Structures are given as C-alpha cells and as structure tokens.
Amino acid sequence: MKIGILGGGQLGQMLVQAGAALGMQFRALDTTADAPCARVCELVVGSFEDSLVLEEFLTGLDVATYEWENIPLATARAGAARVPDFYPPVAALEVVQDRLAQKNFLKKLGIATAPFVAVGSEAELAAAVQALGLPAVLKTRRMGYDGKGQLVLKNPAEVAGAWERLGEVPLILEGFIPFERELSIVAARGRTGETAFYRVAANEHRDGILRVSVVPAPGLTPAQQAQAELAAGQIMQAFSYVGVLTVEFFQYGKVLLVNEVATRVHNSGHWTMDGAETSQFTNHLLAIAGKPLGGTTLRDHTVMVNLIGTMPDATRVAAVRGARLYDYGKAPRAGRKLGHINAPLAALPELLALVSSTAPS
Ligand code: AMP
C-alpha cells in the first residue's frame, strides 16, 4: 500500500518509520528538499499550490493523509478528488483551520471552551473587549500554531494597536483562562467507526512551544479522563473522522475546557512511541488504511521532553535509565523542534538537568 503524506516534517518522518513495520510505502510532499521525510521516503519538492507538483505527488497513491493542518484547503480538496481514501476528512480540516469555525463547531456539540467573540475590525475588537473584559487572548483565525499569531491583552493600552499588530486579518478574541495546567488526549477512529483513546497527558509549554508531557496526567480523575474521551469521541463522530485526532484542554479547577483540536498526530502524543501498546503513528496508519486499530493501553508512566533549538549530549542521555532519544536530523536553530526524549517518569529531573534549554521555567 502506497500512502502519500502532505507535509514532510518530523510528524511525517515518524509516520513513515512506523509504517515501515506495516509494510507500507510512502511519498511525502514538502516545499523544502531537506525536510525530515527526505531521509526516510520518496519526497516530492514543490509548492502545495502547483498543480503539476500535486499531480506528481498524487499519482499512484492508495491513501493520502497530511501531517500539517495549514495545507491549503484547495490542495486537500484536489487530493481527496484524486485519492478517494483521503483521511482525515477534508470537512474536518476545513473546520479546524479556522479558529472561529472550530469554536462554533465545539459550541454546537455542547463542548465547553473559553468564551469567544469574532473580531473583523478595530471597532469590533473594542466591542469584543467590552463583552469579554480583560485579560483576553487575541488570535488570528487562520495559520496560528505554537503560539504564533496571538497576543495576550492585559490592559487597554495593549488593546490599542493590537488589530494592526496582528496584520488587520480576521481574528477571534477569547477570554483569558487562568488555567492550572494544560492537558491533551490523542484518539483514533477507524474506517468502520471503531474508536481508541490514549491516556490524557499533562503538557507544559514555554514561549508557545510544548516542552514536556507527563502521562498519565498526575492526579487526573477517571471522570476527567472520561470527559476528555467523550469530547474527542463526539468530535470524531461528528466528522465521520478517520485517523488520529488530538484535543487540547485547559484544566481550571475541576473543569476541562477545550482549547484546540488538531486533526493529526500531535507532539503531545510522542510519548505513545514508548509509553503505549501502539504508537499514535501506527494507529493513524492503521485507521487510514482501513485496518483494525491497535491497543492504547499505558505501558508505563512516561515523560516526553522536547528538544528545542539544541540537541543534548547523546552519551549523557544514554546514561539515563530507560531514556530513548529521537533525533529528527534537522539543522539546529533557535526555537526549532529537533527531537524528543521518551523516558520513565522517574527520569524527569535527570533529563531536565541535561536538557536545560528545554526545561520549563
Ligand atoms: P493555542 O495556539 O491556541 O494553542 O495557544 C497557545 C498557548 O497560549 C496555549 O497553549 C496556552 O498556553 C495559551 N492560551 C491560548 N489561549 C488561551 C486562553 N484563552 N487563556 C489562557 N491562555 C491561553
């Protein structure tokens, strides 16, 4: 079976590595020749919007998927028209690409989120601030990731100029949630409607980038795990979803509010490569290939430490009991995700000491 992946980053790379064990073949599409997928599979290099490039990529594929949710919608539609087994469904991608559409979709399902108001002009921003109060978080509706395209507005002085600073594009204002922690659940749905849910992770971010995931989230109650599964299940059901889906939450007291939905494998699910019976990458591939899903049982309490900007000394990582280093082979650059380490929970202090650049502040 030949699977095409729109996007050739580390998520694609890890999909390919998981798929090798399933006898699958891959082709990725990326705008840069040195994308991580270049090291593990056939790579078509070019613009997502170039029809000739797209034709070269789509020819002969049995199944197509994506590892980046900001691919142009027209590209996804063209892909789905050419390769009917295109998953996750384009309708899901369309909703998650627009933060406002996503929040309205969640609201319709009765899933709690931060309060929000659409902002289409400077005057609407002033009205939205009146309605929600400050502090509030102003985000671009499209193309935001890793904390990019957003501003926390703490006082009226920060409101002035915010419309201009975010580029005078359609925005959404959200009430600021003074959350205790951030959580996420990775889930999968197969072509037959079969679902599987992983244990909820507790995630620490810094500068908008995920630093550490701890699984299972310490102190999470069975009711909260069930609530996370219910939300992910409802979302997948509503989309007739196929593939892996990730839901990020804010925990505020006992309440879980959905922050964001990602229609793909996710950084906060990298722990599954060592901490669960089947990794998120394998389950995504099984789902989109129409095969039965693998078990999601927790193997061990696990931590995932992201490696941002610089790689640690591999010898020192190897000396940490149970630690496994994943190197995406990318050139080091400030703020860039270069790899991650999975390890038993007990290893966390030791890992943070040697990965000081990624330690949460
Ligand atoms: P996002 O790109 O929407 O996932 O936001 C990036 C990060 O900004 C989140 O992981 C939170 O740490 C923070 N953030 C986003 N929205 C809010 C909010 N409504 N209230 C408080 N913090 C937020």
Side-chain angles (χ1 to χ4, degrees):
M1 180 178 287
K2 183 120 183 179
I3 298 182
I5 307 172
L6 289 157
Q10 65 266 15
L11 298 178
Q13 185 181 38
M14 289 185 272
L15 281 169
V16 172
Q17 288 161 340
L22 300 170
M24 295 168 168
Q25 290 181 296
F26 293 89
R27 179 189 298 145
L29 171 61
D30 202 278
T31 53
T32 55
D34 68 345
C37 275
R39 285 180 283 283
V40 292
C41 70
E42 187 188 336
L43 179 73
V44 175
V45 181
S47 163
F48 286 89
E49 278 145 314
D50 183 325
S51 57
L52 287 179
V53 167
L54 210 53
E55 183 56 29
E56 185 188 346
F57 168 71
L58 293 168
T59 300
L61 296 181
D62 298 301
V63 175
T65 189
Y66 54 89
E67 57 99 74
W68 186 52
E69 70 264 39
N70 286 319
I71 53 168
L73 202 57
T75 304
R77 288 206 177 107
R82 187 77 159 64
V83 182
D85 285 319
F86 183 100
Y87 305 113
V90 179
L93 181 67
E94 184 172 8
V95 169
V96 302
Q97 281 188 343
D98 179 347
R99 287 186 194 275
L100 180 65
Q102 189 183 137
K103 286 259 167 15
N104 279 324
F105 167 80
L106 294 168
K107 196 174 175 178
K108 243 194 223 160
L109 290 178
I111 296 174
T113 66
F116 63 95
V117 177
V119 171
S121 67
E122 202 160 10
E124 280 182 20
L125 174 59
V129 168
Q130 278 293 320
L132 295 182
L134 293 176
V137 186
L138 188 61
K139 303 179 179 180
T140 57
R141 278 173 57 176
R142 295 185 170 276
M143 299 301 281
Y145 63 95
D146 283 351
K148 292 183 178 71
Q150 59 178 272
L151 296 171
V152 178
L153 307 178
K154 294 189 212 74
N155 52 56
E158 288 176 346
V159 177
W163 168 251
E164 209 169 51
R165 275 181 67 197
L166 286 180
E168 305 188 357
V169 293
L171 304 171
I172 179 172
L173 188 72
E174 294 178 13
F176 182 87
I177 307 299
F179 57 79
E180 277 130 51
R181 60 178 177 174
E182 295 187 75
L183 305 170
S184 65
I185 189 165
V186 174
R189 188 172 183 274
R191 288 199 208 170
T192 58
E194 171 197 8
T195 53
F197 302 91
Y198 289 94
R199 294 293 291 272
V200 168
N203 303 316
E204 287 205 45
H205 296 81
R206 201 177 68 205
D207 303 327
I209 303 176
L210 178 65
R211 305 289 159 156
V212 175
S213 295
V214 175
V215 192
L220 195 87
T221 64
Q224 288 165 332
Q225 173 76 32
Q227 189 190 335
E229 291 185 12
L230 183 68
Q234 277 181 287
I235 295 165
M236 294 195 298
Q237 175 79 26
F239 283 134
S240 298
Y241 197 81
V242 176
V244 158
L245 174 124
T246 308
V247 186
E248 294 183 273
F249 300 88
F250 298 135
Q251 184 177 350
Y252 176 53
K254 285 199 161 54
V255 178
L256 301 191
L257 300 173
V258 171
N259 173 34
E260 204 166 34
V261 178
T263 54
R264 56 168 172 77
V265 288
H266 196 262
N267 196 166
S268 70
H270 290 0
W271 67 271
T272 61
M273 297 169 88
D274 295 289
E277 210 179 330
T278 310
S279 83
Q280 62 166 348
F281 301 101
T282 297
N283 256 337
H284 181 71
L285 295 170
L286 291 171
I288 67 174
K291 296 182 190 295
L293 300 178
T296 51
T297 304
L298 187 76
R299 274 187 171 153
D300 193 4
H301 291 229
T302 307
V303 293
M304 187 284 309
V305 176
N306 254 356
L307 302 170
I308 316 285
T310 55
M311 289 295 283
D313 180 66
T315 313
R316 291 183 63 198
V317 177
V320 178
R321 199 185 171 89
R324 283 190 72 185
L325 175 66
Y326 294 86
D327 185 340
Y328 310 149
K330 290 158 77 174
R333 199 195 302 147
R336 199 172 200 204
K337 291 177 181 173
L338 302 178
H340 70 271
I341 300 170
N342 285 344
L345 181 59
L348 184 58
E350 215 178 330
L351 284 182
L352 291 181
L354 67 89
V355 185
S356 56
S357 61
T358 58
S361 49

